[in-house]
Amino acid sequence: MIKKAVIPAAGYGTRFLPATKALAKEMFPIIDTPTIQYIVEEAIASGIEEILIIVSANKNAIMDHFDRNLELEGILKEKNKTEELNIVTRVSNLANIHYIRQKEQLGLGHAVLCAKAFIGNEPFALLLGDDLYVGNEKPVLRQLIDKYDQYGGSFLGTLEVDLQDTSKYGICKPESVLEPGLSLLSSVVEKPKPEVAPSRSAIGGRYVLSPTIFKYLENQERGAGGEIQLTDAIKRMMTEEKVFSYDVDGKRYDIGSRIGYIEATLDFGLKRDDVRPQVIELLNKKLKELDQK
Ligand code: UTP
């Protein structure tokens, strides 16, 4: 049973400067809700009971967001803003959230290693704090946990990407296909060029990992970009334990990239009944303006 989840949210977010100079990208709102709140809600909807968020020095807004704000609650009560009060209190009651600081941003692998004491010796879920998913029938993490319950081992959530995009992702090398979309892996290759990519199956920010990963992270040397890479440690773990990839059924948005953020805002705006009509009107107007140019 997977009951604990880790959400790393301590990165510098250099692709989104200057916004990320003082504001965590994980706090960027999609319409009116911070990205990390959607991720916490995905974890809860997937059966997770305890969440550890990995933060860094300038990410206090994340902790404030999930905490109570008694002053704001008092003001909303006084003004009889019941709906707003419910929104605010619901966020602070979402889950048992714990925090730890990653003191130096040495990479995703290092961030995950910071969770070792919290996780102990049980398998756990990992959700990257800037990867937002909308699962089709089930939350994407739940899809991975269901497969883990069937097969054990570790699971990497994957998405099929265009061949020309393999150099942006960790790409899986399958050894055998066990069922459609589910493969036992023999390796993972970090950001391969299309001509050497072993598949089009890209790792996309959702994992179920065996605690064995910590043993490999502890002595993992720095890899690409001088960072301690999670995929390098996963690759080494494959020599000891089974690691599977599973194509998740959902749409992914990379909030850490400008275009991913814009697409998420548009899609969520088109999906939410309260703003959808105005968003469509606005889009039509903008398209007409573009046509006239
Ligand atoms: P990214 O690779 O998107 O990291 O990390 P980044 O370094 O923040 O962004 P860029 O590439 O400079 O724009 C994926 C997730 O892992 C976290 C990030 O906060 C993000 O949610 N992370 C990354 C850490 O917690 N610590 C790190 O040292 C690196």
Side-chain angles (χ1 to χ4, degrees), residues 8-16 25-26 54 59 102 104-108 111 128-130 227 256:
Y12 284 123
T14 54
R15 286 170 296 155
F16 224 129
K25 60 182 164 178
E26 295 81 5
I54 316 283
K59 304 255 180 167
Q102 183 191 18
E104 255 185 293
Q105 278 52 69
L106 298 179
L108 176 60
L128 301 197
D130 58 352
E227 295 192 345

Side-chain angles (χ1 to χ4, degrees), residues 48-273:
I48 296 297
E49 290 171 0
E50 303 286 331
I51 296 172
L52 177 72
I53 303 182
I54 316 283
V55 291
S56 56
N58 67 351
K59 304 255 180 167
N60 292 340
I62 296 178
M63 291 187 263
D64 291 343
H65 181 69
F66 292 108
D67 199 357
R68 290 190 67 181
N69 182 334
L70 296 177
E71 192 184 329
L72 178 62
E73 287 176 28
I75 288 168
L76 294 174
K77 227 178 259 169
E78 211 176 275
K79 297 193 170 175
N80 280 324
K81 297 202 166 201
T82 321
E83 198 184 322
E84 289 83 351
L85 181 64
N86 289 341
I87 292 172
V88 166
T89 48
R90 192 182 80 85
V91 179
S92 44
N93 291 322
L94 272 179
N96 288 330
I97 304 183
H98 312 258
Y99 302 92
I100 193 165
R101 271 199 186 182
Q102 183 191 18
K103 295 192 183 87
E104 255 185 293
Q105 278 52 69
L106 298 179
L108 176 60
H110 181 259
V112 174
L113 183 56
C114 296
K116 186 177 177 237
F118 171 80
I119 295 298
N121 197 26
E122 51 184 294
F124 63 101
L126 174 67
L127 306 96
L128 301 197
D130 58 352
D131 274 322
L132 178 59
Y133 273 92
V134 178
N136 285 338
E137 304 231 315
K138 281 187 226 170
V140 161
L141 179 63
R142 186 69 241 171
Q143 298 172 26
L144 283 187
I145 293 176
D146 285 348
K147 288 298 162 191
Y148 165 82
D149 287 344
Q150 221 176 319
Y151 291 90
S154 292
F155 270 85
L156 316 181
T158 46
L159 293 163
E160 205 169 275
V161 294
D162 291 336
L163 197 57
Q164 76 258 25
D165 289 333
T166 55
S167 58
K168 295 182 197 154
Y169 299 92
I171 300 290
C172 296
K173 184 174 181 190
E175 184 176 296
S176 54
V177 179
L178 303 184
E179 55 176 89
L182 194 156
S183 301
L184 176 66
L185 301 181
S186 63
S187 190
V188 276
V189 186
E190 196 51 61
K191 303 190 170 70
K193 292 205 174 100
E195 51 279 19
V196 292
S199 74
R200 286 165 49 203
S201 197
I203 306 172
R206 295 291 181 273
Y207 310 72
V208 171
L209 293 173
S210 147
T212 307
I213 195 66
F214 295 118
K215 185 173 89 185
Y216 290 95
L217 284 172
E218 264 168 345
N219 58 17
Q220 182 59 53
E221 285 174 9
R222 292 180 191 229
E227 295 192 345
I228 297 174
Q229 299 284 354
L230 177 66
T231 39
D232 291 343
I234 292 176
K235 196 155 97 181
R236 289 166 60 227
M237 183 169 72
M238 278 175 198
T239 57
E240 180 180 349
E241 280 186 9
K242 286 184 176 167
V243 178
F244 303 92
S245 66
Y246 182 61
D247 289 341
V248 294
D249 181 22
K251 167 87 182 146
R252 169 184 181 259
Y253 302 93
D254 177 7
I255 301 304
S257 84
R258 293 176 174 91
I259 201 68
Y261 178 71
I262 292 170
E263 190 185 6
T265 303
L266 283 174
D267 275 4
F268 277 61
L270 287 170
K271 229 173 269 159
R272 265 188 37 177
D273 292 342

